[in-house]
Each structure stands twice: as structure tokens, then as C-alpha cells.
């Protein structure tokens, strides 16, 4: 019975949010790397490819954009919510289910954006022939 009381009710999240959380859980459970927002990931992938093509024509501007995107990623990573403990029982005593839900969704959305921006950075740098040091995107397409 106590196990059922600890279950989180995701009913207050919309369908898109619930799907993103489900994909995140699947990725963690199965070691996969599927984008948590698949339709947005497809658009980001197309954007990355287009920006990589433009980078060849305007390399200095592209490198400035890479620096800006990396600055944005750095801020996102610093602001990503991190729970004070991984112990679920302890978390349950410190936060409400709604706070835990929101934290998990915030982390999922932030991580998605970080991965997408990193993918854009990598594709631009690859197009310019620059050695990449940023982690790759999650869309599975590499050029």
C-alpha cells in the first residue's frame, strides 16, 4: 500500500509533457538516447544542417555563433535543477509530488535543449573542419 502512495500522478501534465517524461524514463531504463521532444528534435536537426551549410560561407560569423551557443549551454547547465539527494524516500519527505514532477520535467526540458544546441555546435564545427569538444546531439545524424 505504501508503494501506491509514493506513485506520482502525472495527470496535471499535458500530453506532450507526459510523452517527454515517458521517453526520458525509457532512455534511462534502456540506455537509449531518443529525443524527448521528437518533433522539435527533427526541426533542430534541420536547423543544424542549414547552419552548417551557411557556416562554410560565413565561417567567422559561424564561429561567433558557436561561442554564443556555448555560452547559452553553459548557463542552461548551471541552472539545471538538481535534487539534493537521489534517495526517493528522502526526496518524498523534502518535497511534494508536484515539486518532484516539476523538477524532473525541468531537467528533461533543459537537457533536451542542451543536447540540441550541442548538436548544432558540433555540426557547424564539423562543417568548418574544427575539432569538436562538445558532446553530440541526440538525433542520431552525424555528418
Amino acid at each position: 500500500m505504501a508503494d501506491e502512495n509514493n506513485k506520482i500522478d502525472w495527470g496535471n501534465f499535458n500530453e506532450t509533457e507526459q510523452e517527454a517524461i515517458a521517453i526520458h524514463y525509457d532512455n534511462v531504463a534502456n540506455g537509449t538516447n531518443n529525443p524527448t521532444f521528437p518533433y522539435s528534435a527533427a526541426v533542430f536537426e534541420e536547423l543544424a544542417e542549414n547552419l552548417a551549410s551557411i557556416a562554410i560561407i560565413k565561417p567567422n560569423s559561424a564561429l561567433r555563433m558557436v561561442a554564443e551557443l556555448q555560452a547559452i549551454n553553459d548557463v542552461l547547465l548551471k541552472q539545471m535543477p538538481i535534487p539534493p539527494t537521489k534517495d526517493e524516500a528522502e526526496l518524498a519527505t523534502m518535497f511534494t509530488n508536484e515539486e518532484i514532477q516539476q523538477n524532473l520535467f525541468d531537467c528533461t526540458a533543459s537537457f533536451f535543449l542542451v543536447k540540441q544546441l550541442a548538436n548544432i555546435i558540433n555540426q557547424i564545427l564539423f562543417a568548418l573542419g574544427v575539432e569538436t569538444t562538445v558532446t553530440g546531439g541526440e538525433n542520431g545524424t552525424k555528418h
Side-chain angles (χ1 to χ4, degrees):
M1 186 68 143
D3 202 24
E4 287 204 16
N5 290 336
N6 289 337
K7 289 191 178 186
I8 296 175
D9 174 21
W10 293 97
N12 60 330
F13 276 57
N14 68 40
E15 184 180 350
T16 300
E17 294 166 334
Q18 289 179 24
E19 287 173 358
I21 295 296
I23 292 169
H24 171 76
Y25 273 125
D26 186 57
N27 285 341
V28 170
N30 299 317
T32 55
N33 200 19
N34 297 314
T36 50
F37 299 93
Y39 294 97
S40 295
V43 172
F44 273 107
E45 183 64 31
E46 187 70 28
L47 175 63
E49 290 173 8
N50 289 333
L51 290 172
S53 296
I54 295 169
I56 296 167
I57 299 166
K58 299 253 184 195
N60 291 336
S61 296
L63 289 173
R64 290 288 305 219
M65 188 174 104
V66 163
E68 290 176 358
L69 290 175
Q70 189 57 55
I72 293 168
N73 255 4
D74 291 345
V75 169
L76 286 172
L77 286 169
K78 286 177 188 168
Q79 293 183 350
M80 194 173 299
I82 299 172
T85 180
K86 290 184 179 186
D87 183 328
E88 292 179 22
E90 190 176 348
L91 278 175
T93 64
M94 300 168 72
F95 301 101
T96 66
N97 278 345
E98 290 78 21
E99 290 171 322
I100 293 170
Q101 285 175 301
Q102 193 59 54
N103 181 275
L104 179 58
F105 185 72
D106 291 350
C107 287
T108 300
S110 295
F111 184 70
F112 172 78
L113 286 174
V114 165
K115 296 278 287 185
Q116 295 307 310
L117 293 178
N119 183 48
I120 291 171
I121 290 167
N122 281 338
Q123 288 205 35
I124 290 170
L125 293 177
F126 184 81
L128 295 173
V130 176
E131 187 71 27
T132 61
T133 58
V134 180
T135 58
E138 61 186 53
N139 301 339
T141 304
K142 296 293 175 202
H143 300 273

